[in-house]
Amino acid sequence: MKWGVISTAKIGTEKVIPAMQESDKLEILAIAGRDLEKTRETAQSLRIPRAYGSYEELLADPSIEAIYNPLPNHLHVEWTIKALEAGKHVLCEKPIGLDTEDAKRLIAARGKSGKHVLEAFMVRHHPQWQEARRLVESGQIGTITTVQSIFTYFNADPNNVRNKKDIGGGGLLDIGCYCIVGPRYITGKEPVRVVSLMDKDPKFGTDRLVSGMLDFGSGIQASFVCGTQSAAVQRVHILGTEGRVEIIMPFNPIPENPALIRIGTQKQPGFDEAREIKFPICNHYTLQGENATAIFNGESPIDYPIEDAIANMQILDALSRSARTGSWEMVSS
């Protein structure tokens, strides 16, 4: 399958594109940007055959079958719809939109085009997450009770898109979304209500620190902290009645190193005695690209359609409402 990329964003040029190019199941045929000279330089450095000076030109290329969309958050839905209208499948970076109503526009566009739209949550393709879910489902830690997540980094650059409120910047949309999709993936359930606390940067107006809780009902809870102006750390703890699972580098595992999770029982005092599980070296962006290609080719069923992305967006919206109201908010269905 021949792919095109709309945008020369760093997430694409530094992580996703090189990883997808490691696969022999797909080809990155073209890339588009607003600055043709810069786009040509990017294409040359990444060995991409074609460079376009506008997104429209790339979408008009009949050779392109699928689009990867790593544009800033406020352009996700707009250009995904344009790609669908051009007859292309789309893998769009998370979050799928700015809010639920924005994201829901994709349902009609998908139906009209007959093409697939996927949200790029690469973590669901990594074997460490798949094994963690298998351990939970097999009952090896008893009945699951809690998923705790932390994901932080430091970025105070005023020119960075993550620090621009009007285009969807802020920690909740950028990395808090991982702290939502992770518990949903592990539990296989949806939260019914949420509560959050949010601190905003006085200059940027973006949320720079968010804490939240998700109530899944049936005694299952999840909690998280995400931040854009804190020391960088990430970790996920999954607790059950008889044991626990720890994912060491849950969101940005180093592809050159084996990923590692730990599993322990309630009788053990700490993870020093827990059993370690190492995984063969892999790149979850490569696996994501291959999975998307298989779905687009009709070779694999779609596990997470656009409705799943909308469900995640509804939770993010509820967390934002809670930060304003200071109370628990129900997740819209």
Side-chain angles (χ1 to χ4, degrees), residues 81 83-88 108-117:
I81 290 176
L84 290 170
E85 291 174 343
K88 322 293 186 185
R110 178 193 59 185
K112 187 176 180 180
S113 69
K115 301 298 180 179
H116 289 298
V117 186

Side-chain angles (χ1 to χ4, degrees), residues 85-137:
E85 291 174 343
K88 322 293 186 185
H89 299 288
V90 184
L91 174 65
C92 182
E93 266 304 332
K94 54 75 204 168
I96 198 66
L98 292 178
D99 54 40
T100 301
E101 292 308 310
D102 189 30
K104 282 183 176 179
R105 295 162 55 201
L106 294 171
I107 295 178
R110 178 193 59 185
K112 187 176 180 180
S113 69
K115 301 298 180 179
H116 289 298
V117 186
L118 303 176
E119 187 176 24
F121 271 117
M122 71 292 184
V123 293
R124 292 188 291 215
H125 305 285
H126 199 291
Q128 66 174 351
W129 278 91
Q130 295 168 356
E131 177 64 10
R133 184 170 68 173
R134 188 194 70 79
L135 290 168
V136 170
E137 291 175 343

Side-chain angles (χ1 to χ4, degrees), residues 316-328:
L316 292 168
D317 284 353
L319 286 163
S320 294
R321 290 198 305 273
S322 176
R324 295 192 298 269
T325 64
S327 61
W328 286 91

Side-chain angles (χ1 to χ4, degrees), residues 64 79 104 160 169 192 214 260 300:
I64 302 297
W79 283 97
K104 282 183 176 179
N160 191 284
V192 293
L214 288 69
L260 174 70
S300 178

Side-chain angles (χ1 to χ4, degrees), residues 10-313:
K10 284 187 177 181
I11 181 63
T13 59
E14 295 183 2
K15 292 186 178 181
V16 181
I17 294 173
M20 291 178 70
Q21 289 176 321
E22 293 178 8
S23 175
D24 59 3
K25 298 180 180 180
L26 57 95
E27 178 187 2
I28 306 293
L29 183 63
I31 187 169
R34 293 303 191 188
D35 183 328
L36 181 56
E37 183 177 350
K38 177 185 175 182
T39 305
R40 283 173 174 165
E41 292 174 357
T42 300
Q44 184 176 8
S45 67
L46 291 171
R47 306 181 311 282
I48 298 175
R50 302 176 190 174
Y52 291 105
S54 72
Y55 308 144
E56 292 89 348
E57 288 180 88
L58 187 149
L59 295 182
D61 186 335
S63 303
I64 302 297
E65 302 167 272
I67 296 295
Y68 169 57
N69 178 0
L71 287 163
N73 295 343
H74 70 303
L75 297 176
H76 283 179
V77 171
E78 175 187 351
W79 283 97
T80 293
I81 290 176
K82 289 182 179 181
L84 290 170
E85 291 174 343
K88 322 293 186 185
H89 299 288
V90 184
L91 174 65
C92 182
E93 266 304 332
K94 54 75 204 168
I96 198 66
L98 292 178
D99 54 40
T100 301
E101 292 308 310
D102 189 30
K104 282 183 176 179
R105 295 162 55 201
L106 294 171
I107 295 178
R110 178 193 59 185
K112 187 176 180 180
S113 69
K115 301 298 180 179
H116 289 298
V117 186
L118 303 176
E119 187 176 24
F121 271 117
M122 71 292 184
V123 293
R124 292 188 291 215
H125 305 285
H126 199 291
Q128 66 174 351
W129 278 91
Q130 295 168 356
E131 177 64 10
R133 184 170 68 173
R134 188 194 70 79
L135 290 168
V136 170
E137 291 175 343
S138 67
Q140 292 193 44
I141 63 169
T143 302
I144 187 171
T145 59
T146 305
V147 181
Q148 295 181 320
S149 310
I150 183 169
F151 193 3
T152 58
Y153 60 77
F154 191 92
N155 183 339
D157 178 4
N159 296 315
N160 191 284
V161 294
R162 294 167 180 82
N163 293 320
K164 296 184 177 182
K165 181 181 178 181
D166 58 334
I167 62 173
L172 186 60
L173 289 182
D174 186 43
I175 53 178
C177 57
Y178 288 106
C179 301
I180 306 308
V181 81
R184 292 178 60 229
Y185 178 81
I186 292 296
T187 64
K189 298 180 180 297
E190 300 292 337
V192 293
R193 61 175 186 158
V194 302
V195 66
S196 72
L197 181 65
M198 184 180 293
D199 178 59
K200 294 189 176 183
D201 184 285
K203 295 180 295 183
F204 305 144
T206 54
D207 51 289
R208 60 183 178 184
L209 184 65
V210 182
S211 299
M213 291 188 64
L214 288 69
D215 178 9
F216 287 83
S218 305
I220 302 175
Q221 300 176 2
S223 61
F224 73 91
V225 175
C226 68
T228 62
Q229 293 180 24
S230 300
V233 67
Q234 55 181 273
R235 195 66 55 93
V236 167
H237 292 272
I238 305 164
L239 308 181
T241 55
E242 299 176 20
R244 59 202 187 275
V245 175
E246 180 184 14
I247 308 179
I248 309 303
M249 285 286 286
F251 308 116
N252 297 127
I254 300 171
E256 293 80 16
N257 296 339
L260 174 70
I261 68 174
R262 297 183 180 131
I263 177 171
T265 69
Q266 63 179 190
K267 296 180 180 179
Q268 295 172 334
F271 281 111
D272 289 341
E273 298 181 20
R275 175 168 61 94
E276 293 187 346
I277 303 175
K278 288 187 177 181
F279 299 87
I281 292 174
C282 68
N283 191 315
H284 52 189
Y285 290 114
T286 306
L287 298 173
Q288 174 182 258
E290 290 182 340
N291 185 65
T293 297
I295 291 171
F296 295 163
N297 275 328
E299 301 165 352
S300 178
I302 180 168
D303 295 328
Y304 303 100
I306 196 63
E307 285 80 2
D308 181 88
I310 292 171
N312 215 61
M313 202 79 245

